[in-house]
Amino acid sequence: MTSFDRRDLGLLLLRLGTGGVLVAHGTQKLFGWFGGGGLGGTGAFMESVGYTPGRASATAAGLAEAGGGTLLALGLATPAAGAAAAGGMAGAAAVLAPNGFFSQDGGYEYPATLGLVAAGLAIAGPGRLSLDHAFGHVLDRDWMVPTALAGAVAVAALVVGARNRRVRKAKDSEGESEQEPLFEE
């Protein structure tokens, strides 16, 4: 019989807490639960902040949060779960970054914290109080950690980079249309 120690209990608490928060946020996006916008409302919001197409972006963000959060809470496929959640939080942080760091100013503090905890769990592993442990870590191999995190970083960089280019282009277009004409007719 395998016993567990306080590290395992600490990892369980981190997984349940972080996973639960991510599931709640993801189901807001996917199903409109907990006062969320569902795919329609979230998709419209995603379009407004430069993530296009909006509905597909809402689906991807919702799945990263709800799916990654569920898997983190269960301690199943922990490297992939943590990487997916961290990637989703990178996308959220990109939207909030212009507001600075602190949440009370609309900054990226909250998604950065969730993303760092998710990435930390992907690296540390789920502990012995997990489905990964119960299943012999078949979905939690050492090689999976850098692979999952590298994949999440690459996808997040592409998605956030494309979003930032769209936002910059829209801002430049607005600036051009608001300028005074050089010559009067």
Side-chain angles (χ1 to χ4, degrees), residues 128-146:
R128 288 178 279 193
L129 298 171
S130 66
L131 289 180
D132 274 335
H133 183 74
F135 297 148
H137 294 277
V138 295
L139 299 175
D140 179 34
R141 304 279 187 210
D142 286 344
W143 65 266
M144 294 175 181
V145 175

Side-chain angles (χ1 to χ4, degrees), residues 45-86:
F45 170 75
M46 294 293 238
E47 289 269 350
S48 77
V49 296
Y51 286 115
T52 60
R55 191 173 181 90
S57 297
T59 301
L63 289 174
E65 292 174 13
T70 298
L71 291 173
L72 275 178
L74 295 171
L76 182 62
T78 303

